[in-house]
Amino acid sequence: MKVVIVGGVAGGMSAATRLRRLDESADIVVFERGPEVSYANCGLPYYIGGTIADRSSLLLQTPASLHRRFRLDVRVQHEVTAIDRAAKRVEVTDLTSGVRTTATYDKLILAPGATPRRPEPLSAIPTVSLRTVADADFIHAALDQPGARVIVVGAGYTGLEAVENLVARGAHVALLQRGAQLLSPLDPEMAAPITEAVRSHGVDVRLGVTIDRVEGARAILSDGDSIRAELIVDAAGVVPETALARRAGLRIGRTEGIWVDASHRTSDPDVFAVGDGVEKSDLIGGDAALVAMAGLANRHGRMVADVIAGRADAARPAVATGIVSVFGIAAAKVGWSEKQLQAAGQAYYAVHVHPGSHAGYYPGAQALAMKLLADPAFDRILGAQIVGRQGVDKRIDVIATAIQAGLPAAELAHLELAYAPQFGSAKDPVNILGYVAENTRAGITPTIQWHELEETQAAGATLIDVRTAGEFAAGAIPGAINVPLDELRDRASELLREPLIVHCQVGLRGHLATRILTQLGGDVVNLDGGYRTWSAGMRSRLDADDADRSVRAAAA
Amino acid sequence: MKVVIVGGVAGGMSAATRLRRLDESADIVVFERGPEVSYANCGLPYYIGGTIADRSSLLLQTPASLHRRFRLDVRVQHEVTAIDRAAKRVEVTDLTSGVRTTATYDKLILAPGATPRRPEPLSAIPTVSLRTVADADFIHAALDQPGARVIVVGAGYTGLEAVENLVARGAHVALLQRGAQLLSPLDPEMAAPITEAVRSHGVDVRLGVTIDRVEGARAILSDGDSIRAELIVDAAGVVPETALARRAGLRIGRTEGIWVDASHRTSDPDVFAVGDGVEKSDLIGGDAALVAMAGLANRHGRMVADVIAGRADAARPAVATGIVSVFGIAAAKVGWSEKQLQAAGQAYYAVHVHPGSHAGYYPGAQALAMKLLADPAFDRILGAQIVGRQGVDKRIDVIATAIQAGLPAAELAHLELAYAPQFGSAKDPVNILGYVAENTRAGITPTIQWHELEETQAAGATLIDVRTAGEFAAGAIPGAINVPLDELRDRASELLREPLIVHCQVGLRGHLATRILTQLGGDVVNLDGGYRTWSAGMRSRLDADDADRSVRAAAA
């Protein structure tokens, strides 16, 4: 059997090595357009910043090492330019010599990856993305002058990692984001701590803007401002690389990624496709979606090898688990955001909690901000977001596992997670999320969200702040009346005449207050996540207003 | 409704506070025999060692704070001595005054906890367990003399935490363990790194021994040795505290814990019981089991409050997730061990892997030792053990979640876990475990365990070490022939005449070698976990031999 693989990084190389393990006699040829195969593209930002000091550690394999160990025929700087599906043959150009050849296949695996969605105007300021070792080399060299001025376009995972590492190298960084918040996979109130951390490290954050054009050494922004820079790093997202597949007449999905079935077979049964160029099935929405994640590329590459070797298998629908660390704060998500659910008109309920990363009595615990989204009818978990300095990765992985296993939100309360005081609490943050979810969904403590507060107040509800007088004095929500929780029972009669919203710092005392007042006959809701979630939401709203002004300036 | 709760630490206090949240009008009385309620008993070792510097941070609540916030009537130093179930009344002794009273109840919740299984001979050397704040105070004070000599009896979670913290205070520590290994919830080869870490910190580890008697300032051990000490810390495990329940005629389970149904109702429908005094349902074995864990006590206390308040609920069967950190190494487990499965005659297959805690190209990754046990028929996960310096808690929590959700072992490969290079790998260690499990169970790479090597060699199989010549020279398994992996294809013909066992350092190259040789016609098995698991196993066997000699010396 002859198998040709187009693309030799994550998905393509996983397919090649697994196929060899299953079939010692297969003839396996890998064509890679670039100069390297199997490099650590998720490490590129950290090579720029210097955390990864040794460039060679990014290069996990070479054609020679892959031949020695796996008898793979790996040809770098070879571009597959056409597929003749009838003849089961690809046309290949050797990019170093220009020589064109063909290669036949029994099975073909496409792993073309994605390509940067470049800012439209290419310019006098060098503009580079951060996808290849060559990109990283270019940026690394550009930072050798101290105080380089760099514009990063796009504040997703890669953009934020780039920002952190550019700052580490002493660059002056401006971060441009087309949308109204950084890290758009998260909801705005969850992204707010990231925005603050980025700003506090001297980064010039601009929301609601793009680069309109470049004039000499200055980038002119869509809102009319201009920024001098010696380098532009394009991290404004990627689109599937589908040119070859389109030319071959393979079906392209609604998302503009290559269409595949559950076994990652394309519309041609002898052609498979994996990685960022392919659309995946989304577990939450049930539809096709683009999820550009290294883990999925690796996993699907391996699975395709199994299928080709005769072992039936199918990709599991994706939940798009992601994490990024910026200036010591980790932000992670899985599934859908509240924004996405709202845009799709999906019913949901939301929960915010702020437990410590481990037991409070053991030194070093850090507050986590956690958000859970679930379906009110069946309590299916629809998404989660976690931000904090410690233990973020653990909790998102537990929730990602729960989602993939189909556990309802309330079941998070019952998970028996490892507890010693360095690692967690007798009630782990994930358990807390489950308890609060169940209290919310069962109506034990009805809640409103931070973005529903104003309208609920406007409808005539009185806001009671049940924190201490000291906490109230240090910052309070406009219009709130301070009645500390422990005084609430004694003062209930004066409060119960009208509808009430209660709130505390993070939501727990508000829950207790809601329970007390409800049972005393009150009409009460708790402000979910308390003052902390509300104030993060308000800060994100200031940013959104700012972005809106920029967009209006651009339109004017 | 009047609810009486006996015991005011984890389970009792969770029940009391949840019940108040559900029922503002309930009359809730908590009797606690000791001087404190709701203290952080899992923090006690760290108070002794000084990591928790402020004693007051162990005391999470007081009777006064619990009255202010929850209107609980909490009476410390009050012992419930009898239950008159017919009259629904308890007899209570005020331990400070000796005054005896009674209290009636509609519902009674027993949360008596467990009691140390003390070393039989009480002695002239002060002997103290580590269950209460008073215990910790006593030990803390005893360490004020520098160089105190301390014997710790029992090397479970608490015993190991005690050892670490005693060493931190400058004590000379001897650790006595009745069994053949430390940390008996783990299998011996997994516990070996912990044993080494403890010894490397100067602790005198004695296996297979108990204290026979004390003569003056010396403890005479069962094997005839003697050790001078000023203090004995008893961490030799606990037994359920069932005296009150027995006197009341409540049913006691086969495990000697208080019997309860799924809602934690005892044999008397108006009496509930939670915490370490109660037997739980074991998810893996399906039978009743004793699982003394703070998380379960808290969870079941809360659940009983829900049941009493009319909200039907049931405890989820326990998986006994546990973790301990000793001298920078964390060891965690969930479910059953291989020893347990063997003793019960259960069919299982085992997998050992040693992936990095995060991507190897990003600095600071540490090797994890991971073991998975699963059922060969249905691939149900039966247990897992993880040991390492980083990321142990995360991976055990993911696997614990998978077990509780009923995911089969192979499905671990498909979990979409958060990947950035600081946190994991594109194929997370948990994914790797799933892949190796599937390769093992499907027979793609048949394996043998470290403890099966000798008999397989004796049956005539040749052992091939496929590591490099340098690795081989630095330490090899007796009888192994070195054929580096990348030379294997060329030298296969000379090897394929007889049955083969192949091995490498951690199992991966052995897997590749097995695949190559099998497809070339060989009869091959891979040594699961490679040299690293085998050598850990061998070190544990030396300890077991040592323990055996001590036991024989005691019998002689």
Side-chain angles (χ1 to χ4, degrees):
Chain A
M1 179 169 57
K2 181 156 186 191
V3 178
V4 168
I5 299 173
V6 182
V9 191
M13 207 45 77
S14 289
T17 53
R18 173 67 172 175
L19 188 61
R20 172 59 71 229
R21 293 194 293 274
L22 294 177
D23 186 350
E24 184 65 17
S25 67
D27 185 359
I28 306 171
V29 184
V30 180
F31 295 111
E32 166 56 44
R33 185 165 45 181
E36 291 100 7
V37 285
S38 207
Y39 59 89
N41 44 8
C42 298
L44 300 177
Y46 301 96
Y47 169 63
I48 292 169
T51 303
I52 298 175
D54 179 9
R55 181 180 181 279
S56 70
S57 63
L58 296 172
L59 305 171
L60 309 177
Q61 296 282 358
T62 64
S65 71
L66 289 162
H67 184 262
R68 265 202 310 279
R69 181 140 304 170
F70 296 101
R71 294 292 189 269
L72 300 179
D73 180 357
V74 177
R75 309 202 198 157
V76 295
Q77 300 198 289
H78 278 66
E79 180 168 13
V80 173
T81 55
I83 306 168
D84 181 340
R85 288 163 47 204
K88 298 178 92 169
R89 192 174 57 204
V90 296
E91 291 178 21
V92 188
T93 300
D94 179 339
L95 298 177
T96 51
S97 67
V99 171
R100 297 176 62 183
T101 52
T102 63
T104 58
Y105 63 81
D106 297 307
K107 303 290 176 192
L108 176 65
I109 303 173
L110 303 179
T115 188
R117 185 194 292 135
R118 288 192 185 279
E120 285 95 68
L122 290 178
S123 71
I125 305 176
T127 301
V128 64
S129 69
L130 191 39
R131 300 279 299 171
T132 67
V133 178
D135 294 337
D137 285 338
F138 187 91
I139 300 171
H140 197 284
L143 297 172
D144 284 345
Q145 293 112 284
R149 284 160 301 188
V150 184
I151 296 174
V152 175
V153 181
Y157 299 126
T158 306
L160 289 172
E161 288 176 341
V163 164
E164 180 186 60
N165 283 287
L166 291 165
V167 168
R169 287 286 299 281
H172 299 295
V173 181
L175 174 60
L176 312 189
Q177 170 79 331
R178 185 189 292 264
Q181 63 167 87
L182 306 192
L183 207 50
S184 61
L186 270 63
D187 287 312
E189 82 283 11
M190 300 302 290
I194 299 291
T195 312
E196 284 150 37
V198 170
R199 287 203 173 112
S200 74
H201 283 77
V203 175
D204 178 9
V205 175
R206 308 283 186 109
L207 297 166
V209 298
T210 55
I211 295 178
D212 189 58
R213 63 192 186 280
V214 169
E215 292 181 357
R218 302 191 76 87
I220 314 298
L221 308 188
S222 54
D223 64 355
D225 267 7
S226 76
I227 299 177
R228 284 189 66 160
E230 287 93 47
L231 178 67
I232 297 172
V233 175
D234 168 21
V238 292
V239 292
E241 172 60 74
T242 55
L244 178 65
R246 283 176 198 268
R247 284 200 301 274
L250 295 172
R251 180 175 166 192
I252 304 298
R254 200 182 40 76
T255 66
E256 300 292 314
I258 301 170
W259 179 92
V260 290
D261 70 9
S263 296
H264 276 235
R265 217 180 274 265
T266 67
S267 53
D268 180 330
D270 292 318
V271 183
F272 295 79
V274 298
D276 294 356
V278 174
E279 65 179 22
K280 280 93 180 174
S281 168
D282 166 31
L283 181 69
I284 305 302
D287 287 332
L290 293 176
V291 189
M293 294 280 181
L296 292 176
N298 279 280
R299 191 165 296 129
H300 296 156
R302 190 179 187 280
M303 181 201 68
V304 160
D306 277 55
V307 172
I308 289 175
R311 307 184 76 238
D313 204 356
R316 308 310 186 262
V319 294
T321 315
I323 190 165
V324 65
S325 172
V326 200
F327 300 119
I329 302 181
K333 57 75 67 174
V334 59
W336 281 29
S337 63
E338 188 174 1
K339 291 182 297 192
Q340 270 179 291
L341 292 164
Q342 285 178 335
Q346 287 290 329
Y348 69 89
Y349 71 92
V351 164
H352 294 79
V353 299
H354 299 87
S357 54
H358 63 245
Y361 61 82
Y362 190 94
Q366 301 274 348
L368 293 167
M370 306 176 84
K371 178 175 187 174
L372 188 77
L373 296 152
D375 150 36
F378 300 104
D379 209 24
R380 181 177 173 232
I381 305 173
L382 301 173
Q385 299 165 43
I386 311 181
V387 179
R389 294 185 174 273
Q390 261 184 23
V392 169
D393 56 328
K394 175 163 75 170
R395 275 58 182 231
I396 208 73
D397 279 359
V398 167
I399 298 171
T401 303
I403 293 182
Q404 289 170 89
L407 288 184
E411 209 58 30
L412 296 178
H414 299 280
L415 292 176
E416 219 184 309
L417 304 172
Y419 166 47
Q422 308 92 326
F423 301 108
S425 294
K427 286 173 185 152
D428 190 86
V430 173
N431 299 143
I432 300 281
L433 207 47
Y435 281 134
V436 177
E438 204 239 334
N439 284 335
T440 304
R441 179 163 172 264
I444 288 177
T445 283
T447 61
I448 58 168
Q449 293 299 308
W450 66 271
H451 51 75
E452 298 167 326
L453 179 61
E454 273 178 57
E455 69 180 287
T456 312
Q457 284 181 290
T462 301
L463 179 64
I464 310 290
D465 181 342
V466 302
R467 299 177 301 166
T468 64
E471 289 174 283
F472 183 77
I477 302 178
I481 299 165
N482 182 221
V483 183
L485 174 61
D486 292 344
E487 300 170 17
L488 203 58
R489 287 180 181 90
D490 297 331
R491 294 175 55 184
S493 59
E494 64 182 273
L495 301 170
L496 291 176
R497 291 177 210 120
E498 46 212 355
L500 298 175
I501 309 156
V502 297
H503 87 86
C504 62
Q505 185 68 11
V506 297
L508 176 58
R509 284 172 291 172
H511 164 53
L512 303 180
T514 305
R515 293 303 305 155
I516 292 168
L517 294 170
T518 301
Q519 294 187 72
L520 295 176
D523 170 8
V524 194
V525 295
N526 185 24
L527 178 62
D528 181 51
Y531 186 80
R532 198 171 291 172
T533 296
W534 175 83
S535 58
M538 289 298 110
R539 294 194 301 275
S540 75
R541 192 171 280 177
L542 291 178
D543 281 339
D545 291 346
D546 190 37
D548 199 45
R549 271 191 298 276
S550 297
V551 171
R552 277 187 278 114
Chain B
M1 179 170 56
K2 181 157 186 189
V3 178
V4 167
I5 299 173
V6 181
V9 190
M13 206 48 75
S14 288
T17 53
R18 173 68 171 175
L19 189 61
R20 171 59 73 231
R21 293 195 293 273
L22 295 177
D23 186 352
E24 184 66 16
S25 66
D27 184 0
I28 306 171
V29 184
V30 181
F31 295 110
E32 166 58 45
R33 185 164 46 181
E36 290 99 7
V37 286
S38 206
Y39 59 89
N41 44 9
C42 298
L44 299 177
Y46 301 96
Y47 169 62
I48 291 170
T51 302
I52 298 174
D54 179 8
R55 181 180 181 278
S56 69
S57 63
L58 297 171
L59 306 170
L60 309 177
Q61 295 282 359
T62 63
S65 72
L66 289 162
H67 184 263
R68 263 200 311 278
R69 180 140 304 170
F70 295 100
R71 294 292 188 270
L72 300 178
D73 179 358
V74 178
R75 308 199 198 162
V76 295
Q77 300 198 290
H78 278 66
E79 180 168 13
V80 172
T81 55
I83 305 167
D84 181 341
R85 290 163 46 205
K88 299 179 89 168
R89 191 174 57 204
V90 296
E91 291 178 20
V92 189
T93 300
D94 179 339
L95 298 176
T96 50
S97 67
V99 171
R100 298 175 60 184
T101 53
T102 62
T104 59
Y105 64 81
D106 297 307
K107 303 291 176 191
L108 176 65
I109 303 174
L110 303 179
T115 188
R117 185 192 291 134
R118 287 190 186 280
E120 283 96 70
L122 291 178
S123 72
I125 305 176
T127 302
V128 65
S129 68
L130 191 40
R131 300 279 299 171
T132 66
V133 178
D135 294 338
D137 286 337
F138 187 92
I139 300 171
H140 197 284
L143 297 172
D144 283 345
Q145 292 111 288
R149 284 161 301 188
V150 184
I151 297 174
V152 175
V153 181
Y157 299 124
T158 306
L160 289 173
E161 289 177 340
V163 164
E164 179 186 61
N165 283 287
L166 291 164
V167 168
R169 287 286 300 280
H172 299 295
V173 180
L175 175 60
L176 312 189
Q177 170 79 330
R178 184 189 294 262
Q181 64 168 86
L182 306 191
L183 207 52
S184 59
L186 268 63
D187 287 312
E189 82 283 10
M190 299 303 289
I194 298 290
T195 312
E196 283 150 39
V198 169
R199 285 202 174 112
S200 75
H201 282 79
V203 175
D204 178 9
V205 175
R206 309 284 187 108
L207 296 166
V209 299
T210 55
I211 295 178
D212 190 58
R213 63 192 186 281
V214 168
E215 291 181 357
R218 302 192 77 87
I220 314 298
L221 308 187
S222 54
D223 64 355
D225 266 9
S226 76
I227 298 176
R228 282 190 66 162
E230 289 93 46
L231 178 67
I232 297 172
V233 175
D234 169 21
V238 292
V239 292
E241 173 60 73
T242 55
L244 177 66
R246 283 177 198 269
R247 285 200 301 273
L250 294 173
R251 181 174 164 191
I252 302 299
R254 201 180 41 75
T255 66
E256 302 291 315
I258 301 170
W259 179 92
V260 289
D261 70 10
S263 296
H264 276 235
R265 217 179 275 266
T266 68
S267 52
D268 180 329
D270 291 319
V271 182
F272 295 80
V274 298
D276 294 356
V278 174
E279 66 179 22
K280 279 96 181 172
S281 168
D282 166 32
L283 181 69
I284 306 301
D287 288 333
L290 293 176
V291 189
M293 294 280 183
L296 293 176
N298 278 281
R299 191 166 294 130
H300 296 156
R302 190 179 187 282
M303 181 202 67
V304 161
D306 277 55
V307 172
I308 289 174
R311 307 184 75 237
D313 204 356
R316 308 310 187 262
V319 293
T321 315
I323 191 166
V324 65
S325 171
V326 199
F327 300 120
I329 301 181
K333 57 76 66 174
V334 60
W336 281 29
S337 63
E338 188 173 2
K339 293 182 296 193
Q340 269 180 291
L341 292 164
Q342 286 177 334
Q346 287 290 331
Y348 69 90
Y349 71 92
V351 163
H352 294 80
V353 298
H354 299 88
S357 54
H358 62 247
Y361 63 81
Y362 190 94
Q366 301 274 347
L368 293 167
M370 305 176 84
K371 178 175 187 174
L372 187 78
L373 297 151
D375 150 37
F378 299 104
D379 210 26
R380 182 178 173 231
I381 306 173
L382 301 173
Q385 299 164 43
I386 311 180
V387 179
R389 293 184 174 275
Q390 261 185 22
V392 169
D393 56 327
K394 175 163 76 170
R395 275 59 183 228
I396 208 73
D397 278 358
V398 167
I399 298 172
T401 302
I403 294 182
Q404 289 170 90
L407 288 186
E411 209 57 30
L412 295 179
H414 299 281
L415 292 177
E416 219 184 310
L417 304 172
Y419 166 47
Q422 308 91 327
F423 301 108
S425 294
K427 288 174 184 149
D428 190 86
V430 172
N431 299 144
I432 301 280
L433 207 48
Y435 281 133
V436 178
E438 204 237 334
N439 284 336
T440 305
R441 177 161 172 266
I444 288 177
T445 282
T447 60
I448 58 168
Q449 292 299 306
W450 66 271
H451 52 75
E452 297 167 327
L453 179 61
E454 272 178 59
E455 69 180 291
T456 312
Q457 285 180 289
T462 301
L463 180 63
I464 310 290
D465 181 342
V466 300
R467 297 177 302 165
T468 64
E471 288 174 285
F472 183 77
I477 301 179
I481 298 165
N482 183 222
V483 183
L485 173 60
D486 292 343
E487 300 170 20
L488 204 57
R489 287 181 181 89
D490 298 330
R491 294 174 56 183
S493 59
E494 67 182 274
L495 301 170
L496 291 175
R497 291 176 211 122
E498 45 211 355
L500 298 175
I501 309 157
V502 297
H503 87 87
C504 63
Q505 185 68 10
V506 298
L508 176 59
R509 282 173 291 173
H511 163 53
L512 303 179
T514 306
R515 292 303 306 154
I516 292 167
L517 294 170
T518 301
Q519 294 186 74
L520 295 176
D523 170 7
V524 195
V525 294
N526 185 25
L527 179 63
D528 181 52
Y531 186 80
R532 198 171 292 172
T533 296
W534 175 85
S535 60
M538 288 298 110
R539 295 194 302 276
S540 74
R541 192 171 278 177
L542 290 178
D543 281 338
D545 292 345
D546 190 38
D548 199 44
R549 271 192 296 279
S550 296
V551 171
R552 279 189 276 113

